[in-house]
Structure formats: C-alpha cells, structure tokens
Amino acid sequence: MFPLKLYLCSMLPKKLQDKLDQRREANALRQLKVPNAELVDFSSNDYLGFSKNSVIFSRAGEILKEQNLEQNGAAGSRLLSGNHKLYELTESFIAKTHQVAAALIFNSGYDANVGFFGSVPQRGDVILYDEFIHASIRDGIQMSHAKAYKFKHNDLEDLERLLAKQDEMLKQVQRDTHTIYVVTESVFSMDGDSPDLLKLVDLCEQFSAQVFIDEAHAIGVFGTGIIDELGLEHRVTRLVTFGKAMGCHGAAILGSENLKSFLVNFARSLIYTTALPPHSVATILAAYEHLECDTTKSNSALKKLRENIQYFREELKKQQFKEFFIKSDSAIHCAILPGNARVKHISATLLEAGFDVKAILSPTVPAGQERLRICLHSYNSQNEIKTLLSLLAKFLRNLPA
C-alpha cells in the first residue's frame, strides 16, 4: 500500500497542476529528452563543432598540468576558495582577445545577465530593452530597482522615441545622476537576425546612454563577435558566452576594470555560487586559443560554417520559400509556421527522416510566431542542407493560404 505521507508529498498544489494541464492542452509541455547522436544535427548551438573537438579536449588537460591543478572542483565561491589561478590567466586572455580592459567569468550566460542587471542599474536609472531580449536579461531586469521599458524589435525609430522621452524626464531630476541603459543582442537566439549596431551605438551616444550587447550567438560565428568586427569594443559593455560556438560552458562580462570590481562586489550570482572547476576554465582557455588558431587556417571551422550559411541562403532562393524565413546572416535560420501542433508535426516528420530540427513553441515565442529553428554548423554537409530543405519544401508548399 502506498504510504499516505509519500502520496501527499507527490501531489502538486492545484494551481501548479492547473498550469501543467494548460501546457498539455496547448500542446506546449516541455520535456527532457536525451539527444539521438545518429540524427543529423540542425538543432544544437555547437556551431563550430568545438564541443567535440579533440584538440581542445587535449589542450585543456595540458593547461591543467602546466598549472599543476589536479582537482575536480573549485571547493567554494570565487571570493572564498574557488578563485584558482586559471581564472586570472583565462580572463586576461579573453580581455586581450576582445581588446578590452577586463573580463569577468561567470558560471553561465544566465548568471552573468542576472548578475549584471540585478546589480548595475540603480534606483532612478532607466533600462530600454529590445522586446525580444533573452529571458535571462528579463529576469535580471526584474531584480533591478531601475525602471524598464521595451522598444520594438530592432526598431531604432522606436528606440530614439523612448530615448528622447526618458532623457527629457531625467533632466527634470538632475540628468547626470541617472543613467539610461540600452540593451539588445547582436544575434537574436530565436530569430537569428541582428540590429544595426553601428547606428544603435551612435544613437545611444547622442543621449549619453550606456549600451549593453549580448553576444552569445555571435562569438565564434562572427570571429570573436560582431562588436569586434565593427570596432565597437570600447563603446559598449557586452556579454560573451562559451556554451554555444565555443563548445564549453560559462560566460564573461567584458568592460572596464571598475565595472569588473563593481560586479565582484555586488553581483549576487557571482558572489554566492561555487566557482567553475579548473577543468571548465581550462576548456574555456583552450577554446579561445583554438579559435585564434582556427581563423588563420584555409580549412577552418569558421570558414566552413560561413560557406554553409551562404549555401543555405542560396538554396532558400532556389526553393522559392524565402518568405517563410526571417532574414538572417547568422547560423540561426527560422521558418515561421504558426500553431504548436503544426510545427511539432513538421519537426517530428523531419525527425523520422533523420534530421534533428527543433520546433519552437509558444509561450517561448509569441502565439502565432511558432517556428522551426534550423541551426547550421561547420560539420553539416551541403548535401544534408539540400536534403533538409527539399523535405521542408514539401510541407511549406502545401500549407493552407
């Protein structure tokens, strides 16, 4: 007989059970699944194949031996016992790579965004953020005492309107004691598109606004990131993450030495968590070293990825269904196919054909904006890309008008 205490502990409160039931009814219930390694990967964020790169794996081991670090964990937060010497070595390398004064490593991109926005914007400050900004930034903003307003996706006219309005309001309460922060991504994770960053930064500087750019899906895909590519490294604060193209784990905030010191003192997600183990930090350093070396090779992973992106775009033109896709120069390409049931069905059918392409459902994206999210990689063949799009074409051409 099932013990009553265990039965009661296994029950969810009704409010929680109702929320789960609503997800099931909307065909939007999330579940954890083990990836099938036999499928053709068009879903992971491993854009350069670094997560399986044997050179990076071996080099991380060499770094640990060089630094005489034979331990499995950090054994504490960075402010206690966890700040092993690899942190300083890796942060210096990252800062030099991105041509900034300082880098501060966090355990993840989520931790970095929550840490920054939960501590840096102060009461009386204003945050203006793109309406499609990542959930980690939204969560950080909710922890902040600053006021926050969203602007239309990649719409600089709407941003300028808000900047002018907030600038005028802050002038009435001594403008130089309040800061406006403008937040966007260089590549949006659920759309694959990018804002005009040069114009955005110019616009923000007109209003003396601070700019924060999330480069999670740009680093590696665009060399060391779009900010470096555009020469904006000294005009913005930015986040780089290592769990996408860099193939490992963690993230860093790039900026001034004073910003780094402030975050060490006030970013709760850094202060109150166990530090990354030496092996994780060694892998970050090895990945950065490999990226630096890879970009100089004629057959580099980055070159292959760029070729695949170009080939994909050309095939979209040939198949004549570009109108379904959001314009993107990145490794992320999304076909808008409204309705959770429809997009899940297409994803499942592609799965049966051997292709792993994820359906992105509402509420992750707004209702009516459900989509297939195709992630391209350096290790995808052009034949795999062509076959995938040929299969997808059959669905798209038969969609009701």
Side-chain angles (χ1 to χ4, degrees):
M1 187 173 177
F2 198 71
L4 179 60
K5 286 184 179 180
L6 289 179
Y7 173 73
L8 292 174
C9 287
S10 69
M11 291 178 63
L12 273 179
K14 186 176 184 305
K15 288 180 181 178
L16 305 188
Q17 188 61 54
D18 287 347
K19 283 194 169 187
L20 271 182
D21 292 342
Q22 288 167 13
R23 282 283 172 91
R24 286 193 184 92
E25 289 169 10
N27 210 1
L29 187 69
R30 298 182 177 106
Q31 294 177 296
L32 296 174
K33 297 179 181 178
V34 177
N36 184 343
E38 296 180 2
L39 297 172
V40 179
D41 179 11
F42 281 108
S43 70
S44 81
N45 296 324
D46 189 21
Y47 305 122
L48 298 175
F50 278 15
S51 75
K52 305 177 186 70
N53 187 288
S54 59
V55 175
I56 294 173
F57 184 86
S58 298
R59 176 58 184 147
E62 290 172 3
I63 291 170
L64 291 172
K65 289 179 181 178
E66 290 169 3
Q67 300 301 317
N68 194 30
L69 282 168
E70 295 185 2
Q71 60 190 80
N72 296 320
S77 72
R78 291 191 66 179
L79 288 169
L80 295 177
S81 61
N83 197 47
H84 45 80
K85 53 190 173 182
L86 259 180
Y87 266 112
E88 183 178 348
L89 186 67
T90 305
E91 286 174 342
S92 295
F93 194 96
I94 291 170
K96 183 180 178 182
T97 298
H98 293 287
Q99 302 179 66
V100 295
L104 181 64
I105 292 175
F106 285 75
N107 285 15
S108 69
Y110 191 97
D111 284 342
N113 276 332
V114 167
F116 181 92
F117 289 99
S119 64
V120 173
Q122 302 292 298
R123 192 179 303 277
D125 293 342
V126 173
I127 304 168
L128 305 179
Y129 63 95
D130 189 290
E131 64 179 333
F132 291 170
I133 206 71
H134 193 266
S136 58
I137 296 176
R138 287 177 176 269
D139 288 355
I141 289 172
Q142 286 185 345
M143 295 169 64
S144 169
H145 294 296
K147 293 181 179 179
Y149 306 93
K150 64 184 176 183
F151 58 90
K152 294 176 184 176
H153 180 52
N154 289 342
D155 189 330
L156 295 188
E157 288 186 7
D158 195 41
L159 174 59
E160 183 174 12
R161 177 185 64 80
L162 285 173
L163 280 166
K165 180 180 179 180
Q166 294 304 319
D167 186 61
E168 189 61 35
M169 290 177 68
L170 291 179
K171 282 177 181 175
Q172 300 171 23
V173 289
Q174 199 172 355
R175 173 68 175 86
D176 59 353
T177 63
H178 300 276
T179 303
I180 298 175
Y181 294 90
V182 173
V183 190
T184 190
E185 301 177 28
S186 56
V187 174
F188 280 83
S189 61
M190 288 297 129
D191 292 71
D193 60 351
S194 301
D196 187 331
L197 288 172
L198 283 171
K199 288 184 178 179
L200 183 144
V201 172
D202 285 343
L203 174 63
C204 291
E205 287 178 348
Q206 291 176 30
F207 292 91
S208 300
Q210 301 287 317
V211 181
F212 183 96
I213 307 294
D214 186 325
E215 286 245 273
H217 290 274
I219 180 173
V221 178
F222 295 89
T224 56
I226 295 178
I227 295 302
D228 288 339
E229 196 175 76
L230 296 175
L232 296 171
E233 58 270 14
H234 300 300
R235 299 169 66 185
V236 305
T237 301
R238 64 189 138 147
L239 166 84
V240 291
T241 67
F242 315 131
K244 280 79 177 177
M246 301 304 284
C248 40
H249 192 66
I253 298 286
L254 310 181
S256 67
E257 287 286 359
N258 283 339
L259 174 62
K260 180 174 180 175
S261 179
F262 183 88
L263 291 170
V264 167
N265 280 275
F266 295 100
R268 295 168 70 86
S269 60
L270 178 92
I271 297 166
Y272 298 110
T273 192
T274 300
L276 288 171
H279 186 273
S280 292
V281 184
T283 306
I284 294 167
L285 178 55
Y288 260 89
E289 290 178 349
H290 193 77
L291 180 65
E292 185 177 65
C293 178
D294 183 77
T295 54
T296 64
K297 295 178 180 177
S298 59
N299 65 336
S300 71
L302 178 57
K303 183 173 182 290
K304 290 177 181 176
L305 173 61
R306 300 307 300 170
E307 288 173 351
N308 280 346
I309 293 170
Q310 182 60 32
Y311 181 78
F312 184 94
R313 287 162 57 90
E314 290 170 357
E315 282 298 304
L316 282 187
K317 289 180 183 178
K318 289 180 184 177
Q319 297 283 2
Q320 296 183 333
F321 52 78
K322 258 180 73 176
E323 69 273 12
F324 288 97
F325 282 80
I326 299 169
K327 186 180 183 301
S328 169
D329 295 318
S330 74
I332 302 167
H333 294 263
C334 296
I336 304 299
L337 300 165
N340 281 348
R342 171 192 282 172
V343 75
K344 283 181 74 172
H345 170 70
I346 295 174
S347 174
T349 306
L350 290 172
L351 192 73
E352 291 174 2
F355 294 94
D356 187 9
V357 181
K358 290 295 186 288
I360 307 299
L361 313 175
S362 59
T364 300
V365 293
Q369 292 291 307
E370 295 83 5
R371 64 198 59 187
L372 281 181
R373 181 176 183 262
I374 299 171
C375 293
L376 302 175
H377 311 91
S378 59
Y379 49 83
N380 291 135
S381 71
Q382 291 188 354
N383 184 59
E384 289 170 345
I385 294 170
K386 186 174 183 177
T387 304
L388 171 67
L389 289 179
S390 296
L391 288 169
L392 186 55
K394 295 178 182 177
F395 296 109
L396 299 185
R397 287 172 185 147
N398 290 324
L399 287 177

